Amino acid sequence: MNDVRNLFGAEFSPEHQAVLQQTKIDKRLMTQQNWPFENRIAGVTSGAEMNEASNDDPSEYFDDQDVAEDAMVYIVEGGQICYGSKRAWETARGC
């Protein structure tokens, strides 16, 4: 799983990497550009991990499907914290 998290660090400038690595920084996910919300991040997973989990105990995931790509990274949304800002999309760096 550390390799998956390192993929995200490689997408950011050195300044952003330094900020993200600080343990006192709250990391949030901004969603819905037209009506933005700030959300907690529940975690990070990959398509491979999700597909493997369904093989462990198929009855536990009976209503779920495998994802199409093993080589996919997912940021999993936690709970909503507050309203967000549309400026996030104006200032976001492309991946």
Side-chain angles (χ1 to χ4, degrees), residues 61-89:
Y61 301 98
F62 71 94
D63 64 342
D64 218 350
Q65 299 176 352
D66 283 351
V67 294
E69 298 289 331
D70 281 351
M72 185 68 66
V73 175
Y74 295 93
I75 300 172
V76 181
E77 177 185 334
Q80 180 183 328
I81 298 171
C82 60
Y83 291 113
S85 171
K86 292 182 180 183
R87 286 191 205 152
W89 282 265

Side-chain angles (χ1 to χ4, degrees), residues 10-86:
E11 300 293 336
F12 294 105
S13 69
E15 295 83 17
H16 283 134
Q17 286 180 27
V19 171
L20 289 171
Q21 291 172 355
Q22 294 178 16
T23 57
K24 295 180 183 180
I25 296 293
D26 189 18
K27 296 158 187 80
R28 297 181 179 188
L29 178 66
M30 189 77 71
T31 59
Q32 302 184 161
Q33 183 175 2
N34 290 329
W35 194 270
F37 291 106
E38 293 183 22
N39 297 279
R40 289 179 192 82
I41 297 174
V44 179
T45 191
S46 70
E49 290 171 319
M50 293 168 62
N51 290 337
E52 282 179 23
S54 66
N55 295 333
D56 293 342
D57 183 3
S59 64
E60 186 177 349
Y61 301 98
F62 71 94
D63 64 342
D64 218 350
Q65 299 176 352
D66 283 351
V67 294
E69 298 289 331
D70 281 351
M72 185 68 66
V73 175
Y74 295 93
I75 300 172
V76 181
E77 177 185 334
Q80 180 183 328
I81 298 171
C82 60
Y83 291 113
S85 171
K86 292 182 180 183

